[in-house]
Amino acid sequence: MLWGGFLLLCLLQGALGAGRPPGSEGRSARGAAEGTRISQDLGGGSLAIDTLPANETRIVEDNHSYYVSRFYGPGDARRRGLWVDLAAANGSHVRVHGILSNTHRQASRIVLSFDFPFYGHLLRQVTIATGGFIFTGDVIHRMLTATQYIAPLMANFNPSYSRNSTVQYLDNGTVFVVQWDKVYLQGKEDMGSFTFQAALHSSGRIVFGYKEIPVPVLQISASQHPVKAGLSDAFMVLNPAPDVPESRRRTIYEYHRVELDTSRISSLSAVEFTPLPTCLQHQSCETCLSSELTFNCSWCHVLQRCSSGFDRYREEWLSYGCGQSDERTCEDLAEGGRYSAPPGSSVSVSPGAVTSPTASLFLDSLTTEGSSLPSRGAGAPIPTGTVVGIVVAVLVLAGAILAGIYISGHPTSSAALFFIERRPHRWPAMKFRNHGNHGSYAEVEAASQEKEGFVEAEQC
């Protein structure tokens, strides 16, 4: 009886082992010994489990909704091919940004030579910040670190600390590279210098390369500036209510973020982001509705656009009532595609008209060519305050014009001498605002700066 029970137990173990994939026993043992890491994106994407032993190259892959990210360790051959050597690149394509290399918490807008796909949107300009990240939004604001960024290593870097610190960029028509070279942390210069880069390829692929990371990223303080690495995008919504102040009318909502595990960032490591297909890539109703993407793609006949409803065009998508119909055929969508303006809106759009995403962020109402706003009733009186305001504005404008004519015709008069004596001798090229512990940035203007023999005198 005892031998029969033992034989039955062996048969059960053999049957269970046959159902496992080859090598699973070894992976389970190593994972238990080393501490298996499980990562997941904010949108609840798929999990990635790292069970490679410590003496092997550690390549970790995360499948996010919009990108697939892969970590490469120092010993991986693929990592060496991802780093872009700016020193060996064509000198005509490499620029040392003079202003950013001599300032702290500043940002400068750069126009790309190609369309860069980011979350399915084509970008033609980006904003480089001294804090180790690239801002991808259209509207510049103080809190650039919040969202809409490409951040190889966002931290409180101060390139102006050392003459050896520079912010360089390269654009050869197929790739745009930004490199923060030998930069130091503000107030923590004793930690050493950091050298890393972000490469934006015309195919939409993004590569983070880390050449010199002197300390673990987890040791960098986030009290004065956010510390993070990854990608983020958001959409902006305009509140047209008249009682809302102008400064609070635009609200930014982050719809997706990829957060990297900063404990994996080290010297001679790299991260590669491969873009996944999105609804925006479909140009026709048929391909949109037949899409097998994980997104719930819908076709808007009025805008002639395929979308999941969560992208930079969300405000426009909702304003036109897109994605709310139950019709699932292109014929039904075409028949029901006649547009009616949302309640309380004065927008008038022809069936084939498509408004630009930038315009929809800045204007309270839009009209197309040949359309008109509702006219005021014939008997409705014009408010007295409006008339008084117009008269005052006309008088002030007329006074300014007359004063200018008088001063230009009488340069030795007391009024002319008053303005000449008080004119500024140098207009500042950079503006900085300190907002406590928040990572606030100010956009810089073009100017000529020099650092370590490099002169930057171009439009930044």
Side-chain angles (χ1 to χ4, degrees), residues 99-116:
I99 297 179
L100 297 183
S101 299
N102 289 279
T103 55
H104 175 225
R105 286 195 179 182
Q106 303 294 321
S108 179
R109 198 186 302 263
I110 302 294
V111 178
L112 306 179
S113 64
F114 57 90
D115 291 327
F116 171 67

Side-chain angles (χ1 to χ4, degrees), residues 4-20:
F6 181 77
L7 180 60
L8 179 61
L9 179 60
C10 291
L11 292 175
L12 289 175
Q13 289 179 344
L16 292 175
R20 297 175 184 170

Side-chain angles (χ1 to χ4, degrees), residues 65-67 118-121 275-282 291 293 295 297 306-308 311:
S65 301
Y66 295 85
Y67 289 89
F118 184 64
Y119 279 89
H121 306 88
L276 296 174
T278 65
C279 298
L280 293 174
Q281 73 181 23
H282 299 302
S291 173
L293 300 177
F295 302 101
C297 299
C306 183
S307 174
S308 64
D311 51 44

Side-chain angles (χ1 to χ4, degrees), residues 351-423:
V354 179
T355 56
S356 66
T358 304
S360 65
L361 299 180
F362 292 95
L363 303 180
D364 293 334
S365 61
L366 300 174
T367 58
T368 58
E369 185 178 359
S371 63
S372 60
L373 295 174
S375 59
R376 185 184 300 272
I382 300 177
T384 306
T386 303
V387 176
V388 173
I390 294 175
V391 172
V392 172
V394 171
L395 292 177
V396 171
L397 181 61
I401 293 175
L402 292 176
I405 295 174
Y406 175 78
I407 292 175
S408 61
H410 301 78
T412 58
S413 63
S414 59
L417 295 177
F418 176 83
F419 287 105
I420 292 175
E421 291 173 356
R422 286 160 178 79
R423 66 181 180 181

Side-chain angles (χ1 to χ4, degrees), residues 202-222:
S202 58
S203 61
R205 193 166 57 95
I206 302 173
V207 177
F208 294 165
Y210 305 96
K211 182 178 181 181
E212 184 181 6
I213 307 295
V215 297
V217 177
L218 296 179
Q219 295 183 10
I220 301 177
S221 173

